Amino acid sequence: MFYAIISEDVADSQQLRQQARPDHLRRLEALRDEGRLLLAGPHPAIDSEDPGPAGFSGSLVVAEFDSLEEAQAWADADPYVAAGVYSQVRVKPFKRVLP
């Protein structure tokens, strides 16, 4: 089943994001390579493709896991969590309808 991992950043997270980004991306690329990643990306803090110094307000990952517990464990092990980028991470089942 798919799960949505919805994360909210702490204030002024840009530097923390930059430091942890390579490890964060490696984990996402591993999901992609396993064929389990539906989509992933950050939420710009402003209405812009490149928010510049405004940075990002959070992230969304939708990926396939065997259970909610497995998805939560994967989310808890995110380098952004360890680096203090996220103030909150929610994991919810996701039912893909379209496309």
Side-chain angles (χ1 to χ4, degrees), residues 2-24:
F2 284 107
Y3 294 88
I5 301 169
I6 306 152
S7 306
E8 297 292 328
D9 281 24
V10 298
D12 301 316
S13 63
Q14 196 67 356
Q15 184 176 0
L16 297 171
R17 273 182 170 270
Q18 289 173 348
Q19 292 169 349
R21 189 168 191 265
D23 292 334
H24 173 78

Side-chain angles (χ1 to χ4, degrees), residues 7-99:
S7 306
E8 297 292 328
D9 281 24
V10 298
D12 301 316
S13 63
Q14 196 67 356
Q15 184 176 0
L16 297 171
R17 273 182 170 270
Q18 289 173 348
Q19 292 169 349
R21 189 168 191 265
D23 292 334
H24 173 78
L25 288 178
R26 271 192 283 279
R27 294 179 80 237
L28 291 170
E29 290 165 351
L31 283 178
R32 179 201 59 205
D33 294 347
E34 294 167 5
R36 298 170 46 202
L37 183 65
L38 184 61
L39 64 90
H43 300 286
I46 60 173
D47 189 12
S48 174
E49 191 72 25
D50 179 4
F56 299 94
S57 64
S59 300
L60 172 65
V61 174
V62 180
E64 189 173 21
F65 294 93
D66 289 335
S67 66
L68 178 60
E69 293 77 19
E70 183 184 328
Q72 185 68 60
W74 188 92
D76 290 344
D78 192 308
Y80 279 179
V81 171
V85 172
Y86 295 145
S87 63
Q88 178 182 1
V89 178
R90 293 182 298 144
V91 180
K92 300 168 69 170
F94 179 83
K95 182 178 177 182
R96 181 179 181 176
V97 175
L98 293 171

